[in-house]
């Protein structure tokens, strides 16, 4: 079964998909929800892809809510998962961003700070998991297509097309590419891969800066 924790009402075309509407910044409720879920089901893998967004209509940023959403809730869920001493192979994948190590001048400091924290959280639990048979990895995603490129506004579409021409593979990363990487990382084939930060961006972060000017 797949259980989704989100403020939004996510849906999927599967009877094995369940959505739990929850605010991940509400730590006490997150803990209670996870304990309840783990008491009835022991998942094979956990995949985190949460992102803090300021409340609609508000420009101010609640840093504490951001930390709770992206770091503390993740930590609590992993701790409950590990303390349950699940039997057999288990995997955790945190989907983060290249902005954990690179700087985007169009994004605020707190965004980079949270993404960098996610990366170190992964490394910490990759080592700390101890006697639990579990591997923990992170996907640092660059810009990627969530839908067909033709559905994007003209200006953004033009930028995405320029980006695809600039990557070594001459293509945009798609959400399906990230899903394929997650599928591999939670499989038995990736059991020995642990504590790694895997960048998925078509290879553009490997290009020498001087050649981009």
């Amino acid at each position: 079964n797949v259980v989704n924790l989100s403020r939004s009402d996510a849906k999927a075309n599967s009877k094995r998909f369940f959505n739990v509407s929850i605010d991940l910044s509400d730590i006490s409720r997150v803990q209670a929800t996870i304990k309840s879920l783990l008491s009835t089901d022991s998942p094979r893998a956990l995949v985190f892809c949460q992102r803090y967004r300021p409340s609609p209509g508000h420009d101010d940023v609640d840093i504490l809510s951001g930390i709770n959403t992206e770091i503390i809730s993740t930590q609590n869920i992993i701790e409950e998962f590990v303390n349950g001493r699940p039997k057999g192979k288990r995997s955790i994948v945190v989907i983060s961003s290249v902005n954990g190590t690179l700087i985007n001048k169009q994004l605020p400091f707190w965004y980079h700070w949270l993404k960098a924290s996610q990366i170190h959280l992964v490394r910490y639990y990759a080592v700390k998991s101890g006697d639990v048979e579990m591997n923990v990895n992170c996907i640092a995603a660059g810009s990627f297509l969530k839908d067909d490129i033709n559905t994007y506004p003209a200006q953004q579409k033009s930028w995405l097309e320029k980006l695809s021409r600039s990557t070594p593979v001459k293509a945009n990363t798609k959400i399906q590419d990230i899903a394929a990487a997650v599928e591999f990382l939670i499989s038995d084939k990736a059991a020995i891969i642990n504590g790694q930060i895997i960048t998925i961006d078509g290879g553009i972060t490997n290009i020498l800066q001087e050649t981009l000017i």
Side-chain angles (χ1 to χ4, degrees):
N1 294 335
V2 176
V3 178
N4 178 70
L5 304 179
S6 174
R7 283 189 300 184
S8 59
D9 186 18
K11 297 179 180 179
N13 295 322
S14 173
K15 294 181 179 180
R16 297 173 62 87
F17 181 88
F18 301 92
N19 184 75
V20 177
S21 181
I22 187 173
D23 183 348
L24 290 173
S25 67
D26 185 345
I27 299 302
S28 60
R29 190 173 171 218
V30 168
Q31 289 176 318
T33 300
I34 291 303
K35 285 182 178 180
S36 176
L37 289 172
L38 292 178
S39 68
T40 58
D41 187 22
S42 181
R44 167 69 176 74
L46 298 178
V47 180
F48 296 90
C49 51
Q50 72 270 46
R51 176 183 175 186
Y52 166 69
R53 292 178 174 83
S55 300
H58 294 80
D59 294 327
D60 57 319
V61 175
D62 183 348
I63 292 296
L64 182 58
S65 290
I67 294 171
N68 284 342
T69 300
E70 296 204 16
I71 307 302
I72 304 301
S73 65
T74 305
Q75 178 191 13
N76 276 275
I77 292 170
I78 293 175
E79 289 283 358
E80 291 293 340
F81 188 57
V82 172
N83 291 337
R85 289 292 185 266
K87 296 180 180 180
K89 170 74 169 58
R90 295 293 186 270
S91 299
I92 294 175
V93 177
V94 175
I95 301 176
S96 188
S97 166
V98 293
N99 294 120
T101 55
L102 302 174
I103 304 302
N104 183 336
K105 293 188 293 185
Q106 296 179 343
L107 293 174
F109 166 74
W110 60 262
Y111 182 87
H112 297 81
W113 178 36
L114 291 176
K115 297 307 174 186
S117 297
Q118 285 181 330
I119 288 174
H120 284 284
L121 180 146
V122 164
R123 288 174 171 150
Y124 176 79
Y125 280 102
V127 175
K128 187 181 180 293
S129 55
D131 58 344
V132 178
E133 188 183 357
M134 182 173 73
N135 63 333
V136 187
N137 293 289
C138 175
I139 291 176
S143 297
F144 62 91
L145 298 178
K146 296 180 180 178
D147 295 296
D148 185 276
I149 193 170
N150 293 313
T151 65
Y152 285 83
Q155 185 176 2
Q156 192 173 5
K157 178 184 176 182
S158 176
W159 181 85
L160 289 167
E161 289 173 339
K162 183 178 180 180
L163 176 64
S164 70
R165 293 192 296 270
S166 301
T167 64
V169 297
K170 305 302 180 190
N172 290 115
T173 301
K174 299 180 176 64
I175 196 168
Q176 291 85 351
D177 299 319
I178 296 173
V182 170
E183 184 178 12
F184 171 70
L185 288 172
I186 65 175
S187 72
D188 291 337
K189 294 179 180 179
I192 199 63
I193 300 174
N194 187 37
Q196 300 306 304
I197 315 304
I198 301 170
T199 300
I200 300 181
D201 66 351
I204 195 169
T205 49
N206 294 309
I207 299 176
L208 183 68
Q209 294 93 327
E210 285 83 346
T211 64
L212 296 174
I213 299 174

